[in-house]
Amino acid sequence: MGKRTKATQRDFLRGNLFGALAGVIAAGVLFAVAQFVSAFFGPASSPMTSMGSTFIDFTPAWMKNFAIATFGTNDKFVLLLSMVIVATVLSAVAGVVARKKLAAGATLVVIFAVVMGACIITRASAGLADLFPLLLGTLAGLFALRFLSQDTSASTTTSTTTNLSTADELAPSRRTFLVRSALLAGAAVVVGLGGTVINGARNTAIAVREALKLPAAKTKASALPAGVQAPVDGVTPFVTPNEDFYRIDTALAVPDVDPAKWQLRVHGMVEEEFTIGFDELLAQDLIESYVTLTCVSNVVGGNLAGNAKWLGYPLREVLARAKPKAGADMVLSTSIDGFSASTPLPVLQDDRDAMLAVGMNGEPLPLEHGFPVRMVVPGLYGFVSATKWVVDLEVTTFAQASGYWTSRGWSSHGPIKTASRVEVPRALGRVPAGTVAVGGSAWAQTKGISRVEVQIDDGAWQEATLAAEASVDTWRQWSYMWDNAPAGTHKVRVRAYDADGTLQIQDQAPPEPDGSTGWHSITFNVT
């Protein structure tokens, strides 16, 4: 009796394991087929991409801050990995249910598909046709679930009805199940990879960007003065290479925008509405400018800041052509993927180099940084200004409209706060005793940095040496040589003053709702 009970338990666990495996493989087939077919439709037709984008849309501010603070620019990878884990668990549950009752398991699959369909159809620029890849994928997944669940059920039924529990008696059905599972899993991998390859081959933006030759700027950026780089090994390069420039946005999949089809619509509270194409934009009098960009999610001492030489057309010229009407105080910029930012109108009309950027560090914008056109606005955090893949500018008011993050509780204007950070030595790093080189960066866009001070182990504040200033719109590097540093654990803290002599805020505050504040400090070891 006891042996029979143990055998029954083993069969029960084996059956559930087979059922879970059947569900996971069926889900793999569903997503693989949908991914393959979505290569021939719009970007919203990819179920995983649309689900991830929908999750981002509903992410509360505290969770966004946690994800960026914890994972930095890897936040999207972590989101995708989390989605895969959740999908695996749910599909395993559906498979176990289908082992007992196929109709119930299939119903769960259909419910999951309906949820994914809702995510797809609510994405910007999505249409009913974008549901077709999910429909085909769901049908393929249901077929795979039925195909595998038959063998799973048969194996369990044979064991429980005839009381056969030996490996020999279960082997034929189990072998059939495993063979079918391997075939379907292999097919899903091939189809999924095929869809990825086709997507890459059909990506117009990649090919066009590689062949694109940008025109020279009518107004070139001033040559960088000698000494803009702090003389300390390990300090961030003054100009951030494109591949190292931080990326924080809401696009789970980088939009594929063909410059030949790109148009920017300018409308709203203006006397002259118009659209401008990419070739027309390149034919304008372009400018170059070094501008430091900062993400509002950057924590004290964080790395979500970068400095680049941008090429573009001044937004003040765009607005001068549109002629904003009295009462307008904001420009709502919208990306092709639905993201929007609310930028104060006066900021886009003054003499700062706010622009529709087409180039970054001497080459066309990288795809992930907004190709073919994005906004760059000195002095404002990106969430209210740096719209990538921009396709729409609506002149309006803060009372009538709000941007993506502003409608989620963040501030509406977002001026960048004075900040400074220690970059050398590294936190918890080890340096030899003697003279210790300390260095880092500070910024106060549109004002400039006039002074930086450092403090060692809660001692007196000491004046740091400032590197040359390129412009008030870029960060400024600094250095300090600590002589006769003794062995042991030490702390260094930094603070900066803007050009008006105003000290950066000491009180610690999180990024939400308008940017973090506080003096950055690190602990290191002298050996």
Side-chain angles (χ1 to χ4, degrees):
M1 188 72 174
K3 292 183 179 179
R4 186 176 300 174
T5 301
K6 290 181 179 179
T8 302
Q9 290 176 342
R10 286 198 301 269
D11 293 341
F12 176 79
L13 292 175
R14 184 185 295 115
N16 282 339
L17 178 61
F18 282 6
L21 181 59
V24 171
I25 293 175
V29 171
L30 186 158
F31 285 112
V33 171
Q35 175 70 17
F36 181 88
V37 180
S38 69
F40 303 94
F41 291 81
S45 63
S46 170
M48 289 296 282
T49 299
S50 289
M51 282 196 302
S53 299
T54 301
F55 178 83
I56 292 173
D57 288 347
F58 289 96
T59 299
W62 66 266
M63 187 178 293
K64 172 180 179 288
N65 288 340
F66 172 79
I68 293 177
T70 305
F71 306 112
T73 55
N74 294 316
D75 58 336
K76 293 179 178 61
F77 170 78
V78 174
L79 173 58
L80 285 172
L81 180 61
S82 301
M83 290 172 57
V84 169
I85 293 173
V86 172
T88 300
V89 172
L90 292 177
S91 59
V93 171
V96 171
V97 171
R99 182 185 69 86
K100 299 176 181 178
K101 191 172 182 179
L102 181 60
T107 299
L108 288 178
V109 173
V110 172
I111 292 174
F112 299 155
V114 169
V115 173
M116 289 187 287
C119 293
I120 290 173
I121 203 64
T122 54
R123 302 313 304 162
S125 71
L128 289 176
D130 290 311
L131 294 173
F132 187 68
L134 174 62
L135 176 61
L136 286 185
T138 301
L139 292 175
L142 289 172
F143 168 79
L145 184 64
R146 182 177 184 277
F147 189 59
L148 295 176
S149 295
Q150 286 178 329
D151 284 305
T152 307
S153 301
S155 174
T156 305
T157 301
T158 300
S159 175
T160 56
T161 56
T162 64
N163 294 324
L164 296 177
S165 59
T166 66
D168 289 340
E169 290 160 329
L170 287 174
S173 180
R174 185 164 62 233
R175 187 180 302 115
T176 300
F177 171 79
L178 293 176
V179 169
R180 290 185 176 185
S181 296
L183 289 174
L184 283 177
V189 170
V190 172
V191 172
L193 289 177
T196 301
V197 171
I198 293 174
N199 252 321
R202 289 172 57 87
N203 192 315
T204 305
I206 294 177
V208 173
R209 181 184 179 277
E210 290 176 350
L212 180 62
K213 302 297 182 184
L214 293 174
K218 179 74 172 181
T219 304
K220 293 186 176 295
S222 300
L224 293 176
V228 294
Q229 183 71 39
V232 175
D233 290 340
V235 169
T236 300
F238 180 78
V239 176
T240 309
N242 289 356
E243 60 272 17
D244 296 333
F245 208 95
Y246 77 95
R247 179 198 167 194
I248 298 293
D249 52 53
T250 62
L252 197 58
V254 176
D256 175 16
V257 184
D258 183 355
K261 298 178 181 178
W262 177 88
Q263 283 192 324
L264 176 72
R265 181 190 178 204
V266 184
H267 63 109
M269 297 175 62
V270 296
E271 294 181 13
E272 181 183 341
E273 295 189 0
F274 65 93
T275 58
I276 184 172
F278 190 67
D279 288 340
E280 183 182 355
L281 181 64
L282 294 186
Q284 305 304 310
D285 292 340
L286 304 183
I287 64 170
E288 275 182 340
S289 183
Y290 288 96
V291 177
T292 295
L293 299 185
T294 309
C295 180
V296 71
S297 295
N298 201 34
V299 297
V300 174
N303 62 357
L304 301 182
N307 185 52
K309 182 172 71 173
W310 305 93
L311 172 70
Y313 185 52
L315 276 158
R316 59 178 172 269
E317 299 297 339
V318 175
L319 293 169
R321 175 178 170 182
K323 302 181 181 66
K325 295 180 179 179
D329 62 9
M330 187 263 279
V331 174
L332 186 70
S333 55
T334 304
S335 165
I336 196 169
D337 70 342
F339 172 83
S340 60
S342 52
T343 310
L345 177 60
V347 169
L348 302 180
Q349 294 177 305
D350 62 21
D351 59 357
R352 74 185 74 191
D353 288 334
M355 69 176 79
L356 293 172
V358 296
M360 182 179 181
N361 288 333
E363 62 182 63
L365 289 172
L367 268 63
E368 64 272 18
H369 289 294
F371 182 83
V373 184
R374 64 167 294 166
M375 286 175 58
V376 170
V377 182
L380 296 184
Y381 289 117
F383 81 108
V384 294
S385 66
T387 304
K388 302 175 183 177
W389 315 287
V390 62
V391 293
D392 190 277
L393 297 179
E394 180 186 3
V395 179
T396 180
T397 68
F398 283 104
Q400 295 177 342
S402 61
Y404 183 94
W405 287 115
T406 301
S407 63
R408 288 162 172 77
W410 294 74
S411 66
S412 58
H413 287 62
I416 294 175
K417 299 174 181 178
T418 302
S420 56
R421 68 187 183 193
V422 180
E423 299 168 2
V424 177
R426 302 299 181 190
L428 303 180
R430 293 181 178 274
V431 296
T435 299
V436 174
V438 183
S441 303
W443 53 87
Q445 278 98 327
T446 72
K447 292 183 178 180
I449 294 293
S450 64
R451 185 179 170 193
V452 170
E453 295 176 328
V454 296
Q455 181 188 54
I456 306 293
D457 294 336
D458 298 322
W461 287 95
Q462 304 292 327
E463 190 98 9
T465 300
L466 290 177
E469 182 179 66
S471 81
V472 297
D473 292 333
T474 66
W475 54 24
R476 193 170 186 182
Q477 298 189 341
W478 58 269
S479 60
Y480 176 77
M481 297 299 170
W482 182 27
D483 295 324
N484 302 315
T489 300
H490 300 281
K491 181 178 74 172
V492 60
R493 186 159 60 157
V494 64
R495 64 186 186 185
Y497 298 78
D498 67 19
D500 297 330
T502 303
L503 177 63
Q504 76 175 93
I505 300 171
Q506 178 182 4
D507 295 339
Q508 293 284 333
E512 186 188 4
D514 57 2
S516 63
T517 60
W519 296 348
H520 184 223
S521 66
I522 62 104
T523 299
F524 64 100
N525 296 292
V526 175
T527 58

